């Protein structure tokens, strides 16, 4: 019965995180996935998202689903500490739930939280297998999960986001190799999805073009920049517990875990984005499991974590989305028809928020347009005898046509 | 013996499901790859045309602007004629005639 209350409590937290993100508006990257725009990731998650594109509250629905998955994943964390005291389990769960990356990203419709969940499952399998091996000394049927399911999970992970390739060492470790047949099949289970991903990539030149465009992005920084970026991602990934997480990964001396950690660090150093922080959180859980700290220490760390969360992580979090939702709401209130023309650089969030077709501004399109949006200033002059400016929040300037005479 | 056969059977059907899913994806993406292979061929030809254009201009000591390279469209697969001449004011001009259009550019900003 108590467990049901905990599940409900966690769900309340998940809905709160999702709604708080929903109220801020949609980011361009999120809109890209919801609109199923075929770059830069493989199709599995965005195809599933696109099945609901007719729903009125599609964005809110998926925010709640993603948030629920990330928050309820705490049960896997708890299971990793199965042989520990109740207190230690609570601290481990608190680590997951109060990790800055989990709090800031749980309600976002991005591939990074999904990839982190997929990684968490592989970390869970790894920790669980090592624990059973430590207890019994026998490989045997320690997983009780069929290799087929692990293979399909690996396939699904790769077809969610390319970053899943980085945890290939843990995927390799997840398969049983205690008989010659299983050893051969482990190679097939790991390699075949990788080959299929390569095949998919060649059928989608947009992915290749996107990779070529982003190649070396972030590689230009100095070593100090990269170190700063890595420290920031680790801090967001684990908060004050990140130190214990990293120390634990190396203390445990399991090459699959260390290699995965190094691969993710190297990848994020070459291609830095704040939302990759959550990829470190599952690895830090495994690292944390290598320590048995006294209750006093854990309480001090927990208080520090909460304090830093309020003072630093939440305020500095991730950039807020642009003004697309507010602007489109204002334009809809005018009850006109026609294109919305945009001057300046704009993202997919404008496409997602608009019920009218969006076009890049051209003078010749003005006659069929109902509104012109300038981001942030109008580079081409707007004739204010034909267009009136709406009062909307900066940085956008919005003009709508004078309503036709009744 | 029976237990062993049962174990083999279990392993076979599990692997079979996984391989069947992979086979479906392989057929799906393999078919799509066949359909878009001509795109890759055209892109390769296009890159070759651009390379020739740059070589042609560099042999004559002029620069090829990125604007001119962008004008090499997918339909301009074959350079039919390439001309180099001195312009009326001693400008250095390159005139390149493609299958579907011609491009003439003068001076060092070419």
């Amino acid at each position: 019965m108590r467990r049901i209350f905990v599940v409900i409590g966690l769900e309340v937290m998940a809905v709160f995180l999702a709604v708080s993100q929903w109220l801020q508006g949609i980011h361009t990257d999120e809109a890209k996935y919801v609109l199923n725009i075929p770059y830069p990731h493989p199709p599995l998650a965005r195809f599933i998202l696109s099945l609901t594109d007719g729903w009125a509250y599609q964005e809110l629905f998926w925010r709640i689903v993603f948030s629920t998955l990330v928050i309820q994943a705490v049960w896997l964390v708890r299971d990793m500490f199965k042989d520990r005291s109740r207190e230690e389990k609570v601290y481990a769960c608190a680590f997951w739930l109060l990790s800055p990356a989990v709090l800031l990203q749980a309600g976002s419709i991005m591939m990074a939280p999904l990839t982190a969940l997929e990684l968490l499952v592989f970390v869970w399998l790894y920790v669980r297998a090592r624990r059973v091996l430590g207890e019994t000394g026998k490989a045997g049927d320690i997983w009780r999960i069929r290799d087929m399911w692990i293979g399909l999970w690996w396939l699904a992970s790769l077809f969610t986001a390319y970053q899943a390739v980085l945890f290939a060492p843990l995927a390799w470790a997840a398969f049983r190799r205690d008989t010659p047949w299983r050893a051969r099949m482990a190679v097939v289970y790991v390699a075949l999805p990788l080959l299929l991903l390569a095949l998919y990539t060649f059928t989608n030149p947009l992915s290749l073009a996107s990779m070529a465009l982003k190649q070396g992005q972030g590689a230009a920084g100095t070593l100090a920049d990269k170190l700063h970026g890595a420290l920031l991602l680790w801090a967001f990934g684990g908060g004050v517990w990140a130190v214990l997480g990293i120390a634990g990964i190396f203390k445990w001396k399991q090459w699959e875990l260390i290699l995965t950690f190094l691969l993710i660090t190297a990848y994020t150093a070459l291609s830095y984005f704040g939302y990759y922080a959550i990829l470190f959180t599952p690895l830090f859980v495994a690292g944390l499991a290598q320590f048995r700290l006294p209750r006093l220490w854990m309480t001090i760390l927990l208080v520090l974590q909460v304090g830093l969360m309020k003072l630093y992580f939440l305020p500095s979090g991730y950039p807020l989305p642009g003004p697309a939702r507010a602007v489109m709401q204002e334009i809809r209130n005018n009850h006109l028809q026609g294109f919305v023309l945009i001057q300046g650089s704009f993202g997919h969030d404008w496409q997602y928020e608009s019920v009218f077709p969006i076009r890049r501004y051209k003078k010749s399109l003005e006659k069929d347009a109902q509104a012109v949006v300038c981001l942030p200033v109008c580079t081409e002059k707007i004739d204010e005898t034909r267009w009136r400016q709406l009062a909307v929040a900066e940085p956008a300037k919005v003009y709508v046509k004078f309503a036709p005479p009744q | 013996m029976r237990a062993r056969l049962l174990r083999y059977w279990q392993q076979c059907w599990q692997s079979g499901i996984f391989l069947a899913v992979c086979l479906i994806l392989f057929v799906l993406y393999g078919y799509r790859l066949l359909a878009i292979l001509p795109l890759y061929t055209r892109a390769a030809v296009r890159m070759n045309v651009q390379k020739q254009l740059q070589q042609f201009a560099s042999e004559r000591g002029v620069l090829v602007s990125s604007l001119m390279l962008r004008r090499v469209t997918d339909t301009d697969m074959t350079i039919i004629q390439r001309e180099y001449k001195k312009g009326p004011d001693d400008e250095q001009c390159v005139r390149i005639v493609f299958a579907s259009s011609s491009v003439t550019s003068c001076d060092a900003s070419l």
Side-chain angles (χ1 to χ4, degrees):
Chain A
M1 193 65 191
R2 200 179 64 201
R3 192 168 282 200
I4 292 174
F5 284 122
V6 176
V7 169
I8 293 170
L10 290 171
E11 196 50 39
V12 170
M13 181 183 176
V15 171
F16 172 77
L17 291 175
V19 171
S20 60
Q21 297 249 0
W22 178 63
L23 291 174
Q24 289 172 9
I26 197 162
H27 283 82
T28 180
D29 282 329
E30 293 175 314
K32 192 166 66 187
Y33 299 127
V34 179
L35 291 167
N36 195 15
I37 291 172
Y39 71 91
H41 283 305
L44 181 66
R46 58 183 166 78
F47 166 73
I48 295 170
L49 294 179
S50 74
L51 295 176
T52 58
D53 62 358
W55 294 7
Y57 288 96
Q58 181 203 23
E59 182 200 338
L60 180 61
F61 172 77
W62 284 112
R63 282 193 193 284
I64 292 175
V65 170
F66 278 40
S67 186
T68 301
L69 290 172
V70 173
I71 296 300
Q72 298 288 354
V74 76
W75 295 104
L76 289 181
V77 176
R78 187 181 180 276
D79 193 68
M80 280 192 236
F81 288 76
K82 200 174 180 178
D83 55 346
R84 302 293 183 84
S85 68
R86 198 169 145 226
E87 261 173 20
E88 282 177 292
K89 281 180 198 154
V90 171
Y91 283 120
C93 293
F95 163 74
W96 178 262
L97 294 173
L98 292 175
S99 148
V102 166
L103 284 178
L104 289 165
Q105 291 180 255
S108 65
I109 311 175
M110 297 286 285
M111 294 303 111
L114 284 189
T115 316
L117 274 182
E118 287 156 351
L119 174 57
L120 180 68
V121 170
F122 281 112
V123 171
W124 170 67
L125 285 168
Y126 193 79
V127 171
R128 201 177 138 169
R130 293 300 173 279
R131 186 176 65 219
V132 177
L133 274 173
E135 283 166 3
T136 64
K138 288 180 197 164
D141 193 10
I142 52 178
W143 282 266
R144 289 196 190 154
I145 295 174
R146 306 287 180 202
D147 283 352
M148 171 195 75
W149 293 113
I150 302 174
L152 290 174
W153 187 255
W154 170 233
L155 181 69
S157 304
L158 286 175
F159 275 80
T160 302
Y162 282 104
Q163 284 78 33
V165 172
L166 301 172
F167 45 84
L170 285 179
W172 172 249
F175 294 103
R176 279 173 288 182
R177 290 185 293 278
D178 50 353
T179 64
W181 163 266
R182 280 182 176 154
R184 274 195 296 273
M185 275 313 291
V187 178
V188 174
Y189 280 127
V190 175
L192 204 54
L194 286 169
L195 288 173
L196 283 169
L197 183 68
L199 184 64
Y200 162 78
T201 306
F202 281 107
T203 65
N204 185 15
L206 271 173
S207 291
L208 285 174
S210 177
M211 283 181 207
L213 281 174
K214 289 192 174 167
Q215 190 183 35
Q217 195 182 60
T222 61
L223 194 65
D225 291 337
K226 292 191 191 316
L227 192 64
H228 178 250
L231 286 175
L232 215 57
L233 287 182
W234 294 340
F236 273 92
V240 289
W241 277 309
V243 181
L244 283 181
I246 297 170
I249 289 170
F250 286 96
K251 183 176 173 244
W252 200 13
K253 291 180 189 151
Q254 299 290 329
W255 73 267
E256 294 96 342
L257 201 66
I258 293 174
L259 190 58
T260 304
F261 172 73
L262 293 178
L263 281 172
I264 295 178
T265 304
Y267 174 77
T268 52
L270 289 172
S271 174
Y272 178 87
F273 287 101
Y275 49 74
Y276 287 145
I278 200 168
L279 296 181
F280 288 103
T281 317
L283 299 174
F284 291 164
V285 174
L288 194 69
Q290 305 317 309
F291 291 99
R292 281 177 182 269
L293 286 183
R295 186 203 291 182
L296 179 68
W297 273 99
M298 289 305 238
T299 312
I300 290 171
L301 286 175
L302 190 66
V303 171
L304 262 177
Q305 178 87 336
V306 174
L308 273 175
M309 205 63 219
K310 181 151 175 50
L311 292 173
Y312 176 72
F313 291 116
L314 286 181
S316 63
Y318 296 108
L320 290 173
R325 180 170 293 173
V327 168
M328 286 305 167
Q329 186 60 49
E330 283 296 324
I331 291 174
R332 266 202 301 273
N333 290 344
N334 281 279
H335 307 293
L336 297 174
Q337 290 297 318
F339 297 138
V340 174
L341 304 179
I342 303 186
Q343 289 192 25
S345 167
F346 64 97
H348 296 294
D349 44 338
W350 291 87
Q351 276 173 284
Y352 184 76
E353 297 289 359
S354 176
V355 289
F356 309 106
I358 298 274
R359 295 278 185 277
R360 191 171 287 284
Y361 179 86
K362 273 187 195 162
K363 197 84 185 162
S364 58
L365 291 176
E366 268 193 12
K367 62 177 174 19
D368 298 318
Q370 59 163 314
V372 176
V373 180
C374 301
L375 295 170
V377 288
C378 299
T379 46
E380 294 197 45
K381 201 171 178 322
I382 303 296
D383 178 3
E384 295 202 8
T385 59
R386 295 178 55 226
W387 300 85
R388 69 183 168 88
Q389 191 172 355
L390 292 180
V392 292
E394 294 288 332
K397 282 193 171 51
V398 183
Y399 295 86
V400 289
K401 257 186 190 154
F402 281 114
Q406 298 296 314
Chain B
M1 183 66 186
R2 199 177 156 199
R4 185 188 275 183
L5 274 175
L6 195 68
R7 205 166 58 241
Y8 276 128
W9 164 245
Q10 277 181 344
Q11 287 171 358
C12 281
W13 79 256
Q14 284 170 31
S15 316
I17 289 178
F18 176 79
L19 291 173
V21 173
C22 289
L23 185 68
I24 292 168
L25 288 176
F26 181 79
V27 171
L28 183 75
Y29 293 129
Y31 180 74
R32 267 181 59 179
L33 185 62
L34 283 179
I36 69 156
L37 265 181
L39 259 179
Y40 283 103
T41 317
R42 279 220 297 280
V45 173
R46 182 188 156 98
M47 279 167 72
N48 189 34
V49 168
Q50 290 185 347
K51 208 169 149 191
Q52 280 191 55
L53 181 59
Q54 274 173 325
Q55 193 187 343
F56 177 68
S58 68
E59 278 167 9
R60 289 154 181 84
V62 289
L63 299 169
V64 175
S65 69
S66 57
L67 178 70
M68 190 159 174
L69 287 178
R70 278 205 297 277
R71 288 192 199 172
V72 184
T73 62
D74 281 346
T75 51
D76 292 326
M77 285 307 161
T78 322
I79 298 176
I80 295 175
Q81 185 194 340
R82 300 186 297 188
E83 252 177 54
Y84 170 71
K85 65 176 182 180
K86 288 262 182 185
D89 302 319
D90 273 356
E91 289 173 310
Q92 291 191 318
C93 295
V94 171
R95 178 176 152 76
I96 297 166
V97 182
F98 297 107
S100 62
S101 61
S102 72
V103 177
T104 306
S105 289
C106 291
D107 74 46
S109 67
L110 181 72

